[in-house]
Every structure is written in structure tokens, then in C-alpha cells.
Amino acid sequence: MKRRTFIKQTALAGTSAILLSKTSIAFSNISQSNTLTRPIAISTWDFKIPVNETAIQTLRDGGSVLDAVEKAINLVEADPSITSVGRGGYPDRDGHLTLDACLMDEKGNAGSVVFLENIMHPISVARAVMERTPHVVLAGDGALQFAVEQGFKKEDLLTENSKKAYRDWLQESKYIPPIGEKNHDTIGLLVMNKDGDIAGGCSTSGMAWKIHGRVGDSPLIGAGLYVDNEVGAATATGVGETVIKIAGSFLVVEFMRNGKSPQEACRLAIERLIHKNPKYKNDNGFLAGFIALNKAGEVGACSYGKGLQYSLYTDGKNEVIDADYSKK
Ligand code: ASP
């Protein structure tokens, strides 16, 4: 190796060591680090409907971890009062409601749909992509065509509420998609069954008023979701642009692979996100965060921007918990 290359590499290794071990960022110190009783379901936010309970019930009924993920996410997608997922979601700046979703099973199989319109259950289409095609991702009109071929119903998913919100936004918006405001959320769900197998999925209508064609982190394997049944799983919510740039969920899983607890792994990923996204500030409602579950049945969560909550089902009960957050 040439001396100069060697010096460069050593310097780089030094930098990453600093980033991993020392941090100038203060966290809120909310953390969970004990091994939980299986089955476990952990999901983003509190959608005020029984998301985790549906997942656990599906397992009890003999379903697989993937069935549990799909059924529980279907519940959120079908709820017209949730304005950031499936039916009733807020449209893009041209008035189109476009949906993103993906899932991964315990064998590492993956399926995804991006920029899908007029199908209420994108997570189920993602599953069909995974199970019935040789592909991982289908997009836009092709994804819609595939969904219809597979028997999914094509329908208008905008509600009176989402149409009105769009009309209101058009009046004040000046057609500039706002980033950072609280106009988005994703259902991300990780499920572990009694045997310790893990699957995960996420589904969203993305950012309200986004530019037509915008795809967020949620349907991108490694960004919005990653499952490695030997290690654990992670999923993201919040401003997808910041998560994509650090391959966020994959990064969380890789930190766990290297021995970090889910809590430490989520924090390290948030530090990376902050470091790599200097133009986003911890104000104006900006939020990006991760939830994670490892093979030992420990969970963690952390966000940039205060306010992330997650729902955790273990030991026969569900709880809504405030996530750890970066104070800077
Ligand atoms: N991650 C989603 C996106 O960027 C939005 C969210 O979860 O808040 O599309």
C-alpha cells in the first residue's frame, strides 16, 4: 500500500472511531434495555388503534411473524382518520395520494412498492411482490397494474377530510412542499414470535404536499426498514430524506451486529443522521427517529427532534412510551 493511501485510511479510521465512541450530543436518557418476554411487537407512534395487539393476536391465531406484520399494518392503512398512511392520507402537491411500503420476513425475503396510487393496502402489495414475483420493488403504474392483476381493488383513497386539507394547503402553500413540519408519519412495526423469529414492515403516504414523484425512506430496504433474523431489526419514521442518506435502518442493525444494544444502536444512528444532515435543525417540528429490536428481545428508540413515541407490546400488555431524543 502506498504511504499516502495508508495515511488517508488511518485518518479515516480514526475519524469513524471518534464518531462511534465520543459524542458531543446529549440525549434525554430515556432507555429500555432489559430482555423482554416474547412475543414482542414494537411499532412507531400511538395511532390509537390496536396495532400491536392485532399483530400478537395474529400470532396467537397461528399466523407467521409476517402475517402479524401485514395484518396489523393493514389496520392502520384502512383507517380513514389517519392522515399519513393509506386511506385518508394527505396527497402530494398535485393532489395525488401516493403510497410507499415495504416488508421483510425472518428469512431475509423483502418486498416493496413505491409511488403506488389507489390501492388501500400497499403493505399487502409489497408482500405479493415478494412472494409472487422474482423482484423486490415495483413502482408507480407498474405496481398498480400488478396489484390489480393480483386482485387488489382500485379505489379513490382520498377522504373529504384529506381533500379539504389539500384545498386549504393550496391556498396558503405557494406550492412549496414544507419539510420539517409535522405533516407526515409512518407505521413501522417489528414483531418477534415466541421462537424468536423477527419480521418487520412499514407503510406511509409520505410527506403531505410533497413534489409529485417523491419517494421517502419507508419503502427502501435498508433505509426505512431492515430485518436480519440473526441480529435484529429496525425501522424509521420522520423526514425520510435524512434517513435515506445514512441507510438508517441498516445502520442500526449493523451497530447491533457489532455488539451495541438496540438503544445504543438507535442513538449512534441518530448521531450519524445529525452529522450527515447539517442543514436540518432540531426545531420547527423536525423529527427523524428509529425503533429497534434485537435477537435477545431488547428494544430501543431514539429521535432527532423531541416527540417520537412508540408502542411496545410484551408480557401480555401494550404501552405507549416516549422515545429517547437528541437534545442538540
Ligand atoms: N418517513 C416518511 C417519509 O419520509 C414520513 C414519516 O415517517 O414521517 O416519507
Side-chain angles (χ1 to χ4, degrees):
M1 196 190 296
K2 282 197 191 126
R3 188 166 175 270
R4 207 196 250 165
T5 327
F6 175 75
I7 291 172
K8 214 168 145 196
Q9 284 185 358
T10 317
L12 275 177
T15 316
S16 62
I18 288 165
L19 281 176
L20 279 176
S21 59
K22 263 191 169 181
T23 170
S24 53
I25 295 170
F27 287 92
S28 66
N29 268 328
I30 304 171
S31 80
Q32 287 256 347
S33 58
N34 43 336
T35 294
L36 304 173
T37 311
R38 303 190 298 231
I40 302 163
I42 177 169
S43 54
T44 52
W45 305 110
D46 173 15
F47 285 99
K48 313 264 184 234
I49 52 174
V51 178
N52 291 348
E53 293 89 333
T54 300
I56 300 297
Q57 189 56 47
T58 307
L59 295 176
R60 282 204 192 105
D61 294 343
S64 66
V65 265
L66 194 66
D67 295 334
V69 164
E70 182 188 4
K71 275 219 161 172
I73 291 181
N74 281 167
L75 198 70
V76 187
E77 292 172 332
D79 191 321
S81 70
I82 296 169
T83 56
S84 59
V85 181
R87 179 163 56 166
Y90 285 166
D92 64 19
R93 70 179 191 179
D94 291 345
H96 294 264
L97 173 55
T98 69
L99 305 173
D100 293 338
C102 76
L103 42 66
M104 287 186 79
D105 73 8
E106 73 281 14
K107 298 188 192 86
N109 296 310
S112 158
V113 286
V114 308
F115 193 56
L116 173 67
E117 288 186 65
N118 299 114
I119 301 287
M120 196 194 319
H121 293 305
I123 197 78
S124 300
V125 184
R127 182 170 183 174
V129 172
M130 178 179 111
E131 292 179 343
R132 302 181 207 161
T133 81
H135 309 306
V136 171
V137 189
L138 289 181
D141 286 348
L144 174 61
Q145 185 187 333
F146 169 75
V148 171
E149 273 167 24
Q150 295 297 315
F152 290 90
K153 187 170 149 213
K154 193 175 165 189
E155 57 192 313
D156 181 6
L157 300 173
L158 288 172
T159 55
E160 282 315 310
N161 173 55
S162 51
K163 284 180 195 162
K164 179 175 180 309
Y166 176 59
R167 283 195 302 271
D168 291 349
W169 177 77
L170 272 183
Q171 289 196 346
E172 292 164 21
S173 66
K174 302 195 186 84
Y175 208 59
I176 302 163
I179 287 254
E181 284 176 22
K182 204 74 193 77
N183 54 14
H184 50 86
D185 275 345
T186 299
I187 172 62
L189 168 65
L190 310 172
V191 179
M192 177 183 267
N193 66 13
K194 281 201 158 158
D195 301 329
D197 285 328
I198 308 169
C202 54
S203 181
T204 187
S205 51
M207 300 232 167
W209 336 131
K210 61 197 174 186
I211 293 173
H212 187 57
R214 183 258 186 192
V215 170
D217 60 312
S218 306
L220 307 182
I221 302 294
L225 174 79
Y226 198 70
V227 176
D228 182 333
N229 200 38
E230 291 172 39
V231 176
T235 186
T237 184
V239 178
E241 282 72 7
T242 63
V243 174
I244 293 170
K245 286 193 273 174
I246 61 160
S249 294
F250 181 71
L251 185 63
V252 173
V253 172
E254 290 309 290
F255 282 135
M256 295 195 289
R257 191 190 307 281
N258 289 314
K260 302 294 177 193
S261 70
Q263 186 57 46
E264 289 168 329
C266 288
R267 269 190 193 179
L268 287 167
I270 288 298
E271 281 180 35
R272 180 79 61 87
L273 184 143
I274 294 169
H275 181 66
K276 295 290 181 188
N277 290 280
K279 82 171 183 191
Y280 293 95
K281 297 288 170 237
N282 192 359
D283 54 19
N284 190 30
F286 176 91
L287 192 137
F290 299 100
I291 61 171
L293 165 69
N294 71 4
K295 200 64 184 165
E298 299 168 312
V299 298
C302 188
S303 62
Y304 182 36
K306 189 178 172 183
L308 175 62
Q309 290 191 309
Y310 63 100
S311 304
L312 177 64
Y313 185 105
T314 178
D315 231 352
K317 58 180 191 307
N318 195 61
E319 234 188 310
V320 176
I321 299 168
D322 290 331
D324 184 31
Y325 59 92
S326 143
K327 286 189 163 167
K328 197 176 138 195

